[in-house]
Amino acid sequence: MADRPPACGPCLGACDGKGLATFQGGLLANNPISVQILGVCSALAVTNKLSNALVMGAALIFVCVGTNLLVSLLRKVTPRRIRMIAEVAIIATFVILVDQLLQAFYWDMSKRLGAYVGLIITNCIVMGRAEAFAMRNRPLVSVLDGVANGLGYAAVLGLIGFVRELGGNGTILGYPVLAAGPDGWYVKNLLLVGAPGAFLALGFLIAIANAIKPPAEEEMRP
Amino acid sequence: MRRDIYTALYAAVLGTVCALLLTAASVQLKPYQQANRKAERVRNILGVLDVPFDKKAPWAELEGVYRRNVRIDGNGANELYNRIDPEGEVLSVGVPLSGRGRNGPIQGFLALAPDMRTIRGITFYEHEETPGLGGEIENEQFRKKFIGKRIAGEGRIGIRITRPGGAAGDGQVDGITGATMTCRRVERMLNDRIGVIVAEAGHGG
């Protein structure tokens, strides 16, 4: 945080001049999965289909934004000693809400995601942003941080889901792209559908992300 | 002291607000969730009875298929979901299963041939077993193993779910790796029901 973040015009300073840096941080420079390696469990588990990955990403954006907003609004009245318990209570509320909504309006998806929606409660990204950012920043910029980190998570899940569904099934969002099946030329890569495929896809993704922009800490090491 | 009271009050208020919010959401969403569960159950009954239907069909259409093909009859202690053809002839018989799993209640259906001896299919539409382990009971690979088994044979009543790879003979089915408890509970649930069916039919052994 040495250099001053660029001030951005549109919000008239409501974001304390760190809107752009916050957004870029969550989405790219400090991406929760590819840089911080958080939330990997769900990134591996629900990405064998693109649609699962996208819904999971949307759920996390919702939880992250809601939690950051509430934690930020309450940051001055929350007793320090129980702040983490308060954060967990808020996170749990949003997660159960998402779970209930999915069960009501998106039954199939709810069955496919199974326990992983509920497990957002234990996703380090949400807790991490609440504790590291929303606790010390104003509501608006906290919401922005939630959006950026949620999008960063969703983007990585979407990429892995895209690769795994295309390679493993020859489809994108259920629509056939590569002709698989008895008459097609494409042989489905079952490795990508299984758990090892998730590890491989994520590993390559992190490697590519690191190759494009080396992490700052390692540059400083002698 | 005052800080302690404030902390306790804060926790109480936050907890109450969260609880109220979730209660309201739960009450509002319950009708939709129940409709989904009902449709899920009907899809499972149709599936286990081998009735052809469109899995993505809306409820109204699903209900129509269900009403045309399934007739609920009583048979003593058993509630029978009979698959019927247009003339009313019974093609296969669905029997509800319910019992305790490892993590929570399990609900399912057992489909039998009209002779009430041969298994045509089995399905579990509600359970809380661990995904990937006990949850595999809903996997088709596991459920297919029951097809064609006879619920009673020489000197035995019921099906045995053995350790994985240990199944031998007509009345045995391979269990699931890492899900011994779930399999044992499923076996008990299934055999409780088979016991009642056999007693009712009076052809035990």
Side-chain angles (χ1 to χ4, degrees):
Chain A
M1 290 276 183
D3 50 334
R4 284 291 301 163
C8 50
C11 69
L12 298 169
C15 67
D16 299 330
K18 30 186 180 180
L20 196 60
T22 302
F23 196 74
Q24 284 175 342
L27 196 58
L28 296 167
N30 223 355
N31 185 291
I33 301 183
S34 73
V35 179
Q36 302 185 56
I37 326 287
L38 295 177
V40 170
C41 169
S42 54
L44 296 170
V46 301
T47 49
N48 53 3
K49 285 210 180 87
L50 181 55
S51 56
N52 296 3
L54 292 180
V55 171
M56 189 70 184
L60 193 110
I61 294 174
F62 175 81
V63 173
C64 216
V65 168
T67 304
N68 267 9
L69 176 65
L70 268 185
V71 168
S72 176
L73 283 172
L74 295 173
R75 73 189 188 283
K76 283 182 183 142
V77 294
T78 303
R80 266 201 79 68
R81 285 182 294 170
I82 60 160
R83 70 183 193 287
M84 293 184 95
I85 300 170
E87 284 160 15
V88 172
I90 293 168
I91 294 169
T93 305
F94 280 105
V95 170
I96 296 170
L97 207 58
V98 171
D99 199 19
Q100 297 272 320
L101 284 168
L102 280 179
Q103 278 181 32
F105 301 114
Y106 215 168
W107 176 259
D108 287 352
M109 187 53 79
S110 163
K111 285 211 85 176
R112 259 182 284 156
L113 294 180
Y116 290 100
V117 176
L119 284 175
I120 295 178
I121 294 177
T122 61
N123 191 314
C124 322
I125 300 172
V126 187
M127 183 87 181
R129 292 330 289 172
E131 178 71 5
F133 198 93
M135 257 306 178
R136 6 191 132 119
N137 284 285
R138 293 210 273 170
L140 198 74
V141 71
S142 293
V143 166
L144 191 68
D145 182 73
V147 173
N149 277 278
L151 277 177
Y153 173 86
V156 172
L157 255 71
L159 265 174
I160 301 176
F162 179 85
V163 171
R164 288 181 71 191
E165 191 182 338
L166 185 65
N169 241 337
T171 58
I172 290 298
L173 289 172
Y175 295 102
V177 177
L178 306 175
D183 312 320
W185 53 269
Y186 184 70
V187 181
K188 295 179 181 182
N189 186 340
L190 292 179
L191 177 78
L192 278 172
V193 182
F199 278 100
L200 282 173
L202 182 66
F204 276 111
L205 194 107
I206 292 173
I208 293 168
N210 277 338
I212 294 171
K213 187 188 168 297
E217 308 142 52
E218 288 191 33
E219 281 175 342
M220 282 189 283
R221 272 187 215 144
Chain B
M1 186 61 196
R2 269 189 61 192
R3 260 181 58 204
D4 290 346
I5 293 171
Y6 175 77
T7 303
L9 258 174
Y10 177 91
V13 170
L14 183 70
T16 311
V17 170
C18 289
L20 282 177
L21 199 77
L22 289 179
T23 310
S26 170
V27 169
Q28 289 295 314
L29 296 173
K30 189 150 245 166
Y32 299 97
Q33 294 168 353
Q34 275 170 346
N36 287 334
R37 283 212 181 91
K38 201 165 138 196
E40 177 81 15
R41 182 165 178 272
V42 164
R43 275 195 295 268
N44 264 274
I45 296 172
L46 293 176
V48 80
L49 292 176
D50 229 1
V51 179
F53 69 103
D54 176 9
K55 277 204 168 104
K56 290 193 172 130
W59 170 245
E61 199 184 317
L62 208 60
E63 198 184 15
V65 176
Y66 181 66
R67 279 186 198 285
R68 272 195 303 280
N69 288 287
V70 180
R71 190 181 65 205
I72 301 176
D73 294 322
N75 161 20
N78 296 303
E79 200 178 18
L80 303 179
Y81 291 69
N82 287 319
R83 180 184 173 193
I84 48 169
D85 65 6
E87 278 78 52
E89 194 77 24
V90 174
L91 300 173
S92 54
V93 185
V95 189
L97 298 171
S98 84
R100 270 171 48 206
R102 180 180 176 277
N103 301 348
I106 298 182
Q107 311 273 354
F109 268 91
L110 175 71
L112 297 168
D115 67 359
M116 298 295 276
R117 304 180 80 121
T118 316
I119 296 179
R120 285 265 178 88
I122 192 167
T123 183
F124 306 96
Y125 62 90
E126 218 170 285
H127 70 82
E128 294 164 25
E129 303 310 290
T130 317
L133 296 173
E136 290 297 296
I137 55 170
E138 67 177 56
N139 192 325
E140 211 187 326
Q141 297 301 331
F142 173 67
R143 295 190 289 113
K144 269 205 295 211
K145 292 176 184 162
F146 288 87
I147 297 174
K149 304 280 177 195
R150 304 204 312 150
I151 59 172
E154 287 107 50
R156 71 167 168 92
I157 296 177
I159 300 286
R160 238 178 79 62
I161 302 180
T162 63
R163 53 166 82 213
D170 183 41
Q172 303 197 350
V173 169
D174 276 334
I176 300 166
T177 313
T180 311
M181 284 289 280
T182 300
C183 286
R184 206 175 291 160
R185 294 277 168 82
V186 166
E187 184 186 87
R188 186 184 302 162
M189 169 173 101
L190 180 63
N191 289 342
D192 282 354
R193 182 46 61 187
I194 287 178
V196 179
I197 294 169
V198 170
E200 207 65 48
H203 62 47

